[in-house]
Amino acid sequence: CEAFDNPGDGIRVQDSSGVRLFNNLVHSNGGRGIAIVGQGSGSPDAEVIHNTVARNGERGLTVGTTAAASPRAYVRNNILFENGVPSLPHLRVITNPRSDLGYDGDSNLVHPPNYD
């Protein structure tokens, strides 16, 4: 899929468990490229694999919110390129509440290399 030119997030998974995002091109959106978030139950066990996320307004990828954790995300082999403001994280995993529990992220190309 290609998600582009949206005023908000390119792809937003909210309060849904076990979602797999695979091989998408997400670019030129006003908010985050990909948001794995929630207000109630969160979005646990998400898989974000082989996506290209570029030039979005806020950041490339966010896992979790301050309202609900989205633990056990599997984030592999993604390209996050020139998203948001260079001083802000392009890849962010919220730690309060604990979306970082069980987080498995590796082999992602993040440019500029700014992540949290």
Side-chain angles (χ1 to χ4, degrees):
C1 293
E2 181 178 12
F4 64 99
D5 289 339
N6 294 296
D9 299 332
I11 297 175
R12 181 181 183 92
V13 176
Q14 179 153 339
D15 294 318
S16 299
S17 64
V19 173
R20 176 180 290 169
L21 299 175
F22 179 80
N23 205 26
N24 296 286
L25 174 58
V26 185
H27 65 93
S28 309
N29 296 289
R32 296 164 287 201
I34 297 175
I36 307 297
V37 298
Q39 294 299 313
S41 61
S43 296
D45 304 308
E47 295 181 347
V48 183
I49 306 165
H50 297 294
N51 298 284
T52 300
V53 184
R55 298 191 172 125
N56 294 285
E58 188 177 329
R59 68 176 38 96
L61 172 63
T62 297
V63 178
T65 65
T66 56
S70 296
R72 298 177 305 278
Y74 182 85
V75 179
R76 294 287 179 111
N77 299 325
N78 297 286
I79 298 171
L80 305 171
F81 180 75
E82 292 184 359
N83 292 285
V85 182
S87 62
L88 295 176
H90 296 283
L91 171 59
R92 184 170 189 207
V93 180
I94 303 294
T95 57
N96 188 15
R98 302 289 307 266
S99 291
D100 60 328
L101 293 177
Y103 174 79
D104 184 357
D106 199 7
S107 301
N108 296 296
L109 175 62
V110 181
H111 180 78
N114 191 353
Y115 49 91
D116 180 21

